[in-house]
């Protein structure tokens, strides 16, 4: 099921794990809730005629989803009615969870009934409901203070109908009473009736937008209120396909917002990001240190300080879901979430004379953000826009280990941003701005393998030099720092062993980090006894240049109605150079195949140069998605690309070499003699 | 796909030799531009016309390099000169040195420098060996090794136009600059120095007037002494006749070398003669990796470790040399030497087995007397057993 819509806080990108600060959590046992009837403003909905078990959809049949919101009292009412029609339905749908934030919301449960044969057979009492901490973002270092009221229903039988309703009163004060709401109009299951209502005083102008359904919002007057209503009968089941870009609107929805334009959202946010406190001594000392550097280095140092020395931790309790902690607090605590870090960085940059703004973005809606109504709940993240030497940089202060130089840091593409500008609050022209970074590529991966054969039978030396830049370097740096080289070595070795079970390492995996330029290099060195496949007339070999596969997604859903995600702005090259024992003419095998469409360009090349036989595959992604109508052609292209991942070759006449046996014997002795701690061989990375 | 082995093994009856950069021979030619530029700064711009070579267009880089290697070994000047054209050189200067206006004189100097450089490396006993090529965005760089017999090995990079394979530049990888970089750098230096302070030293270098060089060098300003072009000239000059210079001056020049060339490979022989094997090894570290991974430099490393008495490392690099080129006779002989010094006689026996079967050496015992420690080896049980078995088989 799609989860209940909740206000999303501006913190989601997490790059490290820390200890749980228990003091940050409320005590679940102290949280109050009531069981009483629904408030007067709620209009009860009548259910359709009861269906026989045979006619119920499996494993659960949703009869009603009813959401009613009361703007004046900042309250919302929710009711769900469904029948369990299958044993798996009983298993999956007999637990009820209601999420709320006791810091500003009061939970009232109206009913939790089990209905059998038209009669209520079980009513849930207060003692049946347990309140537990709902910190499910804890692993992401985000603490919201939310709770879950959990009810484990007893005695549920096949054909039973579960009918529960509750209301939440109160709104996070950080929104200053401004109303904004999203409700889904489609679920992963068919629903007989979806009802969404908003009751608002006439004096408050509510904007609305419906997406993905032909139904429209009806507006009727009820005394001093306006009732906005949307009712959908027999909503269609929504199929969520795999590898869909996050910005794609898969589910139909209705959005309500009291904001007339982005200017009003910016004005609201601007107040939250205003620093009123006097700078602390720690803050002033930091500025003093930064100012000792030339401006460019000071900028880089400020960014690195916020990214790497302020650990990521989101204490998003109550107002701090959207209101940042002050720079003084963040520096003192040495932790913060996206908005805390962004505000601190902007303040530091301003002290350095650099134009900088906090930029509100959405990691999910990204390129579709401008299609939503202006509202405070369309953003889920904050970053920093800075201008230096006529260049714009979009820096994400929650990413760590990004390298030192400003221009080499990977800048995520959030497509649109709302800039927080304190001096332009009266400017009606405030709009979302283009937040596309000027960096042409997110990152590059360059794998250069060298296979050295001493003859056509004996084990070969296999050297792999993997070079990463941009986001790929940052990912690899993070992975190595977190897991340790030894774990990665083990992982890699076992992966290769699937192809070459007798493989052994000749030297330990080596990592070389050029953090200044944000480059990362891994070097591996193996001995592969089962490289050659010997038959009566020839020695066969295979050169795998298949790293590009990591950037090509073969979806599970082939016949699609939703776009297919492609990793954007990536360039990958995988090159395997096989150094043969002697000069063998492969000129007749030399080929170059270019497979290209509007989404990707793939170049596969086999070249021969004296003793060097080189097989290489290059992939360059041109876009971030494939439209459903193009998927079939795109997948046909991927199939052709798939055919190029390995080059198979063979060398004939190997047994005619008079020294073959002597050489084989010598190679065997030498390989046995290889000292465990043999000195590192300098590996050629030039080809 | 199938590749068929060819029986193209060349047997060279050579023992290990130290690598010396043969660069002094071309120095006179390189320096002529300095004096030319000094005496004539108003040369006419050279013409640049599109370069076409219909016969080359259809060739792959490897095919061209095979032909070129043959031409170099056969001293086929007709073929070589066909790939040395003014137009290509002019275009190269324009692309690579946009601040420099190519003159007829500079172009001619470059062309004749390339020609001289090739000639000087094409002695009676020289052997050119094409290693492989790398493509840059604009050029094809073909790596060559030249066996200069007793003078050692030289690694040269030919910068070629990717379609026509015209020679655009040549770089001895032991030096700081390529030929074109040095010539144009010196030409620019000459203009900027107003023909004065450096001219006497350049003339002395050109004339190989060691006494004059020794007299003039200390008189130069620190700025001049640290000038990379001048350092490259001094490097080329002193490397091949270091015995003529006192140690203090050699060290003064070496200490001023950029990190990438400190110490330079051109001084390997100097260090070896002083039995400073650590510096000799460091000088190899400063070679481009393609050269470092060539069989000859790996064997060189093995030899240096043997001379240092570090036999495990000597063994390691001798093994690496074999992997780098399992058909290089010299690599086997060096490995044989190291295994005998290491008293690893079973390994020595197996190396001899390959030597005899692969290189058609009927009797390894012919080369054994030249190997240090051969007496003990020949008295060993392993050697005697092998000899007995050979006689029984024959």
């Amino acid at each position: 099921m799609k989860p209940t819509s909740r206000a999303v806080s501006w913190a989601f990108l997490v790059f490290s794990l820390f200890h749980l600060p228990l003091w940050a959590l409320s005590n679940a046992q102290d949280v109050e809730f009531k069981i009483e009837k629904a408030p007067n403003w709620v209009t009860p909905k009548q259910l359709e005629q009861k269906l026989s078990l045979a006619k119920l959809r499996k494993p659960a049949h949703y009869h009603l989803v009813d959401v009613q919101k009361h703007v004046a009292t900042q309250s919302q009412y929710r009711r769900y009615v469904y029948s369990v029609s299958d044993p798996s339905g009983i298993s999956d749908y007999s637990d009820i969870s209601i999420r709320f934030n006791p810091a500003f919301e009061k939970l009232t449960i109206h009913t939790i009934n089990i209905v059998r044969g038209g009669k209520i057979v079980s009513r849930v009492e207060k003692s049946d409901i347990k309140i537990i901490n709902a910190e499910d973002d804890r692993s992401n270092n985000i603490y919201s203070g939310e709770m879950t009221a959990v009810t484990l229903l007893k005695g549920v039988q096949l054909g039973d109908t579960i009918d529960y309703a509750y209301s939440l009163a109160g709104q996070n004060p950080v929104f200053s009473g401004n109303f904004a709401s999203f409700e889904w109009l489609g679920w992963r299951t068919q629903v007989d009736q979806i009802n969404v209502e908003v009751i608002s005083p006439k004096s408050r102008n509510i904007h609305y937008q419906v997406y993905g359904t032909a139904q429209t919002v009806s507006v009727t007057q009820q005394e001093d209120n306006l009732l906005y209503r949307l009712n959908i009968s027999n909503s269609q089941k929504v199929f969520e396909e795999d590898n869909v870009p996050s910005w794609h609107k898969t589910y139909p929805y209705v959005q309500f917002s009291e904001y007339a334009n982005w200017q009003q959202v910016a004005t609201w946010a601007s107040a939250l990001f205003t620093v009123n406190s006097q700078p602390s001594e720690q803050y002033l000392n930091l500025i003093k240190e930064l100012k000792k550097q030339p401006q460019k280095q000071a900028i880089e140092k400020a960014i690195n300080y916020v990214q790497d020395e302020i650990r990521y931790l989101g204490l998003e309790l109550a107002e701090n879901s959207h209101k940042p902690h002050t720079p003084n607090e963040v520096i003192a605590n040495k932790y913060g979430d996206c908005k805390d870090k962004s505000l601190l960085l902007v303040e530091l940059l301003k002290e350095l004379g650099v134009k900088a703004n906090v930029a509100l973005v959405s990691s999910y809606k990204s390129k579709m953000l401008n299609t939503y109504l202006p509202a405070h709940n369309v953003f889920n993240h904050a970053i920093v826009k800075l201008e230096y030497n006529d260049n714009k940089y979009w820096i994400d202060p929650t990413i760590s280990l990004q390298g030192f130089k400003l221009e080499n840091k990977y800048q995520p593409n959030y497509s649109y941003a709302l800039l927080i500008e304190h001096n332009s609050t009266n400017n009606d022209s405030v709009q979302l701005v283009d937040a596309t970074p000027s960096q042409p590529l997110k990152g590059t991966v360059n794998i250069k393998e060298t296979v050295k054969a001493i003859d056509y039978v004996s084990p070969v030396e296999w050297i792999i030099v993997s070079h990463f830049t941009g986001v790929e370097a940052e990912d690899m740096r993070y992975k190595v720092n977190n897991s340790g080289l030894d774990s990665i070595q083990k992982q890699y070795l076992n992966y290769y062993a699937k192809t070459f079970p007798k493989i052994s390492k000749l030297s330990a995996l080596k990592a070389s980090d050029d953090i200044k330029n944000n480059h990362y290099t891994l070097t591996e060195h193996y001995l592969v006894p089962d490289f050659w496949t010997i038959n009566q007339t020839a020695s066969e070999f295979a050169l795998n240049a298949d790293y590009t596969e990591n950037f090509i997604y073969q979806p599970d859903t082939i016949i699609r109605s939703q776009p297919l995600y492609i990793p954007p702005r990536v360039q990958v090259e995988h090159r395997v150079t096989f150094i043969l024992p002697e000069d063998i003419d492969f000129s007749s095998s030399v080929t170059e195949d270019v497979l290209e469409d509007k989404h990707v360009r793939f170049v596969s090349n086999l070249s021969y140069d004296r003793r060097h036989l080189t097989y290489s595959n290059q992939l360059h992604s041109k876009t971030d998605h494939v439209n459903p109508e193009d998927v079939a052609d795109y997948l046909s292209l991927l199939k052709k690309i798939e055919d190029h991942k390995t080059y198979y070759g063979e060398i004939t006449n190997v047994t005619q070499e008079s020294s073959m046996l002597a050489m084989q014997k010598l190679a065997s002795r030498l390989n046995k003699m290889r000292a465990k701690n043999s000195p590192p061989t300098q590996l050629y990375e030039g080809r | 796909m199938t590749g068929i082995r060819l029986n193209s093994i060349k047997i060279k009856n050579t023992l290990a030799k130290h690598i010396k950069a043969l660069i002094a021979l071309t120095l006179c030619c390189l320096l002529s531009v300095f004096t030319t530029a000094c005496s004539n700064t108003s040369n006419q711009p050279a013409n640049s016309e599109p370069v076409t070579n219909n016969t080359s267009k259809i060739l792959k880089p490897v095919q061209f390099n095979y032909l070129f290697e043959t031409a170099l070994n056969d001293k086929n000047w007709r073929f070589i000169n066909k790939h040395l054209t003014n137009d290509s050189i002019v275009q190269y200067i324009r692309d690579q040195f946009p601040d420099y206006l190519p003159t007829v004189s500079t172009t001619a100097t470059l062309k004749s420098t390339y020609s001289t450089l090739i000639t000087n490396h094409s002695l009676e006993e020289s052997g050119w060996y094409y290693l492989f090529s790398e493509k840059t965005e604009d050029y094809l760089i073909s790596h060559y090794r030249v066996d200069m017999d007793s003078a050692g090995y030289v690694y040269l990079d030919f910068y070629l136009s990717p379609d026509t394979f015209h020679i655009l530049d040549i770089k001895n990888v032991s030096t700081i600059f390529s030929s074109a970089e040095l010539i144009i750098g010196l030409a620019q230096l000459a203009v900027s120095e107003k023909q004065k302070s450096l001219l006497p030293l350049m003339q002395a270098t050109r004339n190989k007037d060691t006494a004059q060089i020794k007299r003039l060098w200390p008189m130069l300003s620190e700025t001049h002494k640290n000038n990379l072009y001048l350092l490259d000239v001094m490097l080329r000059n002193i490397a091949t006749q270091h015995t003529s210079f006192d140690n203090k001056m050699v060290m003064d020049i070496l200490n001023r070398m950029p990190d990438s060339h400190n110490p330079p490979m051109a001084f390997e022989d100097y260090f070896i003669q002083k039995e400073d094997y650590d510096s000799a090894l460091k000088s190899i570290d400063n070679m481009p990796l393609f050269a470092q991974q060539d069989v000859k430099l790996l064997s060189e490393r093995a030899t240096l470790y043997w001379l240092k008495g570090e036999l495990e490392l000597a063994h390691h690099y001798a093994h690496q040399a074999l992997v780098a080129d399992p058909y290089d006779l010299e690599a086997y002989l060096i490995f044989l030497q190291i295994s005998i010094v290491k008293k690893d006689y079973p390994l020595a026996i197996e190396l001899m087995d390959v030597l005899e079967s692969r290189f058609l050496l009927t009797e390894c015992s012919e080369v054994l007397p030249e190997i240090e420690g051969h007496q003990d080896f020949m008295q060993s049980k392993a050697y005697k057993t092998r000899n007995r078995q050979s006689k029984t088989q024959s």
Side-chain angles (χ1 to χ4, degrees):
Chain A
M1 299 297 290
K2 198 78 185 168
T4 309
S5 170
R6 303 286 303 171
V8 185
S9 63
W10 296 338
F12 72 102
L13 290 174
V14 176
F15 292 86
S16 54
L17 302 175
F18 301 98
H19 298 296
L20 166 68
L22 290 168
W23 53 266
L25 305 175
S26 304
N27 189 342
Q29 289 168 345
D30 298 339
V31 174
E32 287 295 320
F33 69 96
K34 290 188 281 190
I35 295 193
E36 59 183 42
K37 63 173 188 166
N40 293 335
W41 54 265
V42 171
T43 311
K45 296 289 171 287
Q46 295 303 314
L47 279 177
E48 299 291 321
Q49 201 178 350
K50 189 183 174 303
L51 298 170
S52 66
L53 180 61
K55 288 189 175 174
L56 292 174
R57 290 185 294 272
K58 289 184 177 176
H61 183 113
Y62 264 75
H63 304 286
L64 174 69
V65 173
D66 183 20
V67 180
Q68 299 183 35
K69 298 200 171 186
H70 197 253
V71 175
T73 58
Q74 298 181 339
S75 301
Q76 58 174 304
Y77 163 88
R78 289 180 182 272
R79 183 181 174 203
Y80 301 88
V81 183
Y82 55 89
S83 299
V84 287
S85 49
D86 182 271
S88 68
I90 295 177
S91 171
D92 292 347
Y93 293 88
S94 296
D95 303 335
I96 294 169
S97 298
I98 301 168
R99 179 75 73 92
F100 67 110
N101 195 324
F104 50 83
E105 287 176 323
K106 289 195 186 314
L107 170 65
T108 303
I109 294 173
H110 310 306
T111 51
I112 302 181
N113 295 336
I114 300 174
V115 181
R116 192 174 299 147
K119 290 180 181 170
I120 297 170
V121 295
S122 171
R123 282 180 204 276
V124 170
E125 303 297 327
K126 195 169 181 181
S127 59
D128 296 325
I129 299 166
K130 304 290 175 214
I131 305 293
I132 58 170
N133 284 320
E135 298 294 356
D136 45 12
D137 260 344
R138 211 171 85 181
S139 61
N140 289 337
N141 270 15
I142 297 173
Y143 299 94
S144 64
E146 290 189 341
M147 298 283 165
T148 303
V150 181
T151 309
L152 309 176
L153 296 176
K154 294 170 189 164
V156 178
Q157 292 181 13
L158 215 59
D160 283 355
T161 298
I162 294 159
D163 183 347
Y164 73 95
Y166 65 92
S167 54
L168 296 171
Q171 187 200 36
N172 193 334
V174 77
F175 299 129
S176 308
N178 294 324
F179 179 73
S181 164
F182 268 103
E183 290 303 329
W184 301 113
L185 301 176
W187 294 51
R188 281 188 216 165
T189 182
Q190 207 175 327
V191 181
D192 292 345
Q193 198 185 349
I194 295 175
N195 183 67
V196 178
E197 292 178 11
V198 172
I199 305 155
S200 171
K202 273 196 297 186
S203 55
R204 295 175 70 168
N205 198 4
I206 305 293
H207 307 270
Y208 56 85
Q209 180 191 63
V210 179
Y211 173 82
T213 174
Q215 297 294 318
T216 54
V217 174
S218 66
V219 186
T220 52
Q221 191 166 335
Q222 289 185 338
E223 298 173 353
D224 289 338
N225 288 327
L226 287 177
L227 171 65
Y228 301 82
R229 184 164 185 263
L230 192 142
N231 192 284
I232 294 177
S233 296
N234 298 319
S235 78
Q236 289 305 299
K237 178 177 180 176
V238 177
F239 290 91
E240 201 173 326
E241 294 167 3
D242 63 307
N243 288 312
V244 177
S246 68
W247 46 259
H248 177 68
K249 297 177 176 180
T250 302
Y251 291 87
Y253 65 81
V254 57
Q255 186 191 0
F256 296 96
S257 175
E258 202 173 356
Y259 296 92
N261 51 43
W262 290 110
Q263 168 61 47
Q264 290 182 4
V265 183
T267 304
W268 161 78
S270 174
L272 302 178
F273 283 82
T274 302
V275 182
N276 295 317
S277 55
Q278 287 299 310
S280 66
E281 199 182 328
Q282 257 184 308
Y283 180 86
L284 292 172
N285 285 341
L286 177 61
I287 297 290
K288 201 172 155 189
E289 278 303 304
L290 291 173
K291 283 186 173 172
K292 285 180 186 169
Q293 316 276 328
Q295 193 184 36
K296 172 83 184 311
Q297 280 92 315
I299 293 169
E300 290 168 338
K301 217 168 171 181
I303 297 170
N304 291 340
Y305 173 80
V306 176
Q307 287 187 326
D308 296 335
E309 293 186 39
I310 305 293
R311 71 183 167 106
Y312 185 89
L313 178 68
L315 286 184
E316 308 191 331
L317 308 171
E319 281 192 320
N320 286 118
S321 61
H322 290 71
K323 183 177 169 58
H325 293 87
T326 65
N328 288 349
E329 288 174 285
V330 177
I331 289 176
N333 294 333
K334 286 271 194 289
Y335 60 71
D337 62 11
C338 65
K339 56 190 180 295
D340 300 335
K341 284 172 164 244
S342 293
L343 178 61
L344 170 61
L345 181 56
V346 165
E347 293 300 310
L348 294 177
L349 292 170
K350 283 179 181 169
E351 293 281 358
L352 298 172
V354 178
K355 193 179 174 201
N357 301 91
V358 173
L360 302 183
V361 296
S362 172
S363 62
Y364 296 119
K365 297 178 176 73
S366 58
K367 65 162 70 170
M368 298 298 277
L369 182 62
N370 65 338
T371 65
Y372 291 86
L373 291 176
H376 59 237
N377 61 349
V378 295
F379 304 104
N380 68 350
H381 192 38
I383 58 169
V384 172
K385 180 202 169 195
L386 72 94
E387 291 178 35
Y388 176 73
N389 269 0
D390 297 331
N391 289 318
K392 291 174 192 165
Y393 299 90
W394 299 91
I395 299 297
D396 190 331
T398 64
I399 305 178
S400 55
L401 305 171
Q402 274 215 298
F404 194 80
K405 282 190 177 172
L406 176 61
E407 57 274 19
N408 294 332
K409 285 175 186 284
Y410 156 61
Q411 302 168 47
N413 185 3
Y414 296 117
S415 301
Y416 288 104
L418 184 67
L419 297 183
I420 296 177
E421 294 186 85
H422 295 293
N423 53 0
S424 64
T425 48
N426 293 322
N427 184 352
D428 287 339
S429 64
V430 169
Q431 292 293 333
L432 294 176
V433 297
D434 184 358
T436 309
S438 54
Q439 284 174 330
L441 288 172
K442 268 171 75 175
T444 63
V445 181
N446 207 318
I447 312 284
K448 286 176 180 168
E449 296 183 16
T450 307
V451 179
K452 293 179 184 175
I454 202 164
D455 59 16
Y456 305 96
V457 189
S458 301
V460 297
E461 271 189 43
W462 187 22
I463 297 146
I464 307 166
V465 180
S466 309
H467 187 72
F468 307 90
T469 68
V471 69
E472 299 297 329
E474 290 160 21
D475 286 352
M476 190 50 74
R477 187 177 294 123
Y478 182 76
K479 195 174 165 188
V480 171
N481 288 5
N482 263 275
S483 314
L485 269 181
D486 49 352
S487 300
I488 291 170
Q489 168 90 81
K490 200 171 178 185
Q491 190 189 328
Y492 283 10
L493 191 61
N494 276 290
Y495 174 77
Y496 301 135
K498 287 179 187 170
T499 312
F500 306 116
K502 294 179 183 170
I503 191 171
S504 62
K505 72 173 190 301
L506 282 177
S507 52
L509 175 65
K510 188 180 141 203
S512 160
D513 191 358
D514 176 2
I515 195 145
K516 197 172 173 187
N517 294 304
N518 202 14
H519 291 192
Y520 203 89
T521 307
L522 288 178
T523 305
E524 305 159 72
H525 193 183
Y526 302 103
L527 187 71
V528 187
D530 31 10
F531 176 79
W532 295 105
T533 305
I534 321 289
N535 65 33
Q536 283 184 333
T537 56
S539 287
E540 295 168 357
F541 63 92
L543 307 179
N544 292 311
D546 55 359
Y547 197 84
T548 50
E549 275 191 339
N550 292 309
F551 297 85
I552 294 173
Y553 295 162
Q554 290 281 0
D556 294 333
T557 313
I558 309 296
I559 312 297
R560 301 178 73 94
S561 59
Q562 294 160 16
L564 173 66
Y565 173 76
I566 300 178
R569 298 193 291 148
V570 168
Q571 196 161 291
V572 186
E573 180 173 6
H574 189 166
R575 174 180 290 222
V576 187
T577 298
F578 182 23
I579 305 180
L580 291 149
E582 58 192 323
D583 192 2
I584 292 177
D585 188 355
F586 273 88
S587 52
S588 62
S589 307
V590 168
T591 53
E592 178 168 280
D593 291 327
V594 180
L595 303 169
E596 187 170 17
D597 67 1
K598 61 185 175 186
H599 312 102
V600 292
R601 177 181 164 83
F602 181 86
V603 181
S604 184
N605 190 296
L606 180 79
S607 63
Y608 150 68
D609 192 0
R610 189 126 247 177
R611 289 167 52 213
H612 296 194
L613 183 65
T614 301
Y615 189 54
S616 73
N617 284 323
Q618 292 173 58
L619 179 79
H620 175 63
S621 61
K622 301 182 193 175
T623 179
D624 64 353
H625 72 283
V626 183
N627 285 325
E629 63 272 21
D630 296 327
V631 166
D633 286 340
Y634 174 73
L635 293 180
S636 299
L637 186 75
L638 292 196
K639 218 171 170 188
K640 287 179 193 160
I641 290 174
E642 171 84 10
D643 293 341
H644 286 76
K645 70 178 187 183
T646 306
Y647 169 78
Y648 296 96
E650 65 173 18
I651 314 287
T652 57
N653 293 347
V654 291
T655 52
Q656 290 177 14
E657 164 74 71
S658 57
S659 61
M660 190 186 89
L661 288 176
M663 189 66 217
Q664 206 178 331
K665 215 172 145 194
L666 173 65
S668 170
R669 172 179 291 278
L670 290 172
N671 286 328
K672 279 180 194 158
M673 285 172 72
R674 279 178 194 271
K676 277 185 183 171
N677 296 317
S678 57
T681 308
Q682 214 167 357
L683 304 167
Y684 183 51
E685 298 169 25
R687 285 182 68 86
Chain B
M1 295 297 174
T2 305
I4 300 167
R5 290 185 61 246
L6 305 169
N7 189 15
S8 60
I9 306 159
K10 267 194 202 170
I11 299 174
K12 296 176 197 166
N13 283 315
T14 52
L15 276 170
K17 56 203 163 211
H18 304 312
I19 296 164
K20 297 173 191 171
L22 187 87
I23 44 187
L25 294 172
T26 51
L27 199 54
C28 301
C29 193
L30 287 165
L31 287 175
S32 68
V33 74
F34 187 88
T35 45
T36 310
C38 287
S39 59
N40 182 5
T41 52
S42 58
N43 285 340
Q44 294 299 308
N47 289 329
S48 168
E49 294 196 1
V51 179
T52 52
N53 186 331
N54 294 333
T55 54
S56 299
K57 270 185 181 172
I58 51 166
L59 291 177
K60 297 267 183 202
V62 62
Q63 292 165 322
F64 165 76
N65 276 297
Y66 281 162
L67 294 173
F68 191 46
E69 180 193 66
T70 306
L72 289 163
N73 282 315
D74 294 349
K75 300 173 183 56
N76 179 349
W77 289 105
R78 203 166 155 232
F79 183 92
I80 295 165
N81 286 331
K82 213 169 130 189
H83 292 271
L84 271 173
T85 70
N86 287 339
D87 294 338
S88 302
I89 292 169
V90 167
Q91 191 56 51
Y92 177 71
I93 296 171
R94 286 189 175 153
D95 293 343
Q96 284 300 106
F97 310 94
D99 297 337
Y100 184 81
L101 182 66
T103 62
V104 173
S105 160
T106 320
T107 310
T109 305
L110 276 175
K111 192 176 166 185
S112 80
T113 300
Y114 300 161
S115 187
T116 309
L117 210 144
I118 294 169
T119 309
N120 290 341
H121 286 90
S122 301
L123 307 175
E124 192 58 40
E125 298 299 320
S126 297
W128 290 80
Y129 184 82
Y130 167 62
L131 294 168
F132 61 90
S133 296
E134 292 182 83
K135 274 182 189 165
T136 67
E137 226 166 82
D138 304 314
Y139 310 113
L140 182 74
I141 303 174
S142 294
H143 305 303
Y144 277 78
R145 181 183 70 221
V146 195
D147 179 353
M148 301 293 295
D149 198 39
S150 58
Y153 293 102
V154 179
Y155 290 90
L156 293 176
D157 277 349
F158 284 87
Y159 287 68
L160 305 169
S161 53
D163 300 324
T164 58
F165 306 117
H166 285 165
I167 300 166
L168 308 173
D169 197 358
I170 306 177
K171 185 176 195 300
N172 179 323
V173 301
S174 304
T175 59
I176 301 172
F177 295 110
S178 71
S179 305
E181 283 168 342
L182 184 62
I183 286 170
I184 289 165
L186 287 174
Q188 288 172 324
L189 186 67
V191 175
S192 65
E193 292 300 328
K194 310 257 185 236
Q195 313 176 19
K196 286 177 190 167
S197 46
L198 288 177
L199 187 57
L201 181 68
M202 291 299 178
Q203 278 172 338
T205 313
R206 190 179 181 186
N207 299 333
K208 293 185 188 172
D209 185 347
T210 311
Q212 189 70 341
I213 295 170
K214 280 154 72 174
R215 193 182 68 80
L216 292 170
W217 173 258
M219 294 161 69
L220 290 179
S221 68
E222 280 297 300
T223 315
H224 280 146
K225 281 181 178 173
N226 289 325
N227 182 288
L228 288 181
Y229 295 109
L230 183 63
L231 281 173
D232 202 13
V233 169
M234 297 305 286
L235 163 73
R236 290 163 195 256
N237 198 291
I238 294 178
T240 46
Q241 43 177 337
H242 50 77
T243 47
S244 311
F245 294 89
D246 62 69
N247 196 44
K248 196 180 160 195
M249 183 172 165
V250 173
M251 291 315 292
D252 184 32
I253 290 165
L254 285 180
N255 288 337
R256 293 171 190 278
M257 285 290 159
D259 286 347
S260 59
H261 288 76
N262 195 359
M265 181 66 192
F267 274 74
E268 194 213 8
D269 191 44
Y270 168 80
F271 295 125
I272 289 171
Q273 286 193 20
K274 292 170 77 73
E275 297 189 4
D276 180 358
Y277 304 122
D278 285 330
S279 296
L281 283 162
K282 273 187 198 162
S283 74
I284 296 180
D285 292 342
N286 288 329
M287 290 289 272
L289 275 171
F290 87 85
Q292 288 191 49
Q293 302 206 332
D294 181 50
V295 59
K296 300 301 179 188
L297 273 192
L298 287 163
S299 288
E300 183 78 358
R301 265 190 207 277
T303 307
L304 287 169
Y305 279 114
W306 161 41
L307 293 172
K308 265 188 84 181
E310 293 185 29
L311 296 180
E312 286 304 327
L313 283 168
H315 170 101
H316 171 77
Y317 285 106
H319 181 184
Q320 287 299 312
L322 234 59
V323 175
D325 188 351
Y327 285 86
D328 187 273
L329 172 63
E330 203 172 74
Y332 285 88
L333 292 173
I334 289 172
F335 207 172
L336 179 64
Q337 169 68 84
I338 289 163
S339 64
I340 287 174
V341 175
K342 240 185 112 189
K343 297 198 184 298
D344 187 345
Y345 297 146
L347 173 61
I349 297 292
E350 286 185 2
L351 283 162
M352 285 173 66
D353 287 345
V354 179
L355 275 165
E356 288 184 1
S357 55
R358 175 158 294 185
F359 300 99
L360 311 177
L361 289 180
T362 47
E363 283 293 335
C364 264
S365 51
E366 286 171 22
V367 293
L368 277 179
E370 293 188 50
I371 287 178
E372 188 184 309
H374 68 277
Q375 295 95 337
D376 286 351
F377 173 57
M378 291 171 86
Q379 291 303 315
S380 70
K381 195 179 164 190
Y383 182 78
K384 284 177 179 169
T385 308
R386 179 183 185 270
N387 256 3
R388 260 201 311 277
Q389 283 170 350
S390 301
K391 279 174 190 164
T392 314
Q393 280 166 11
S394 62

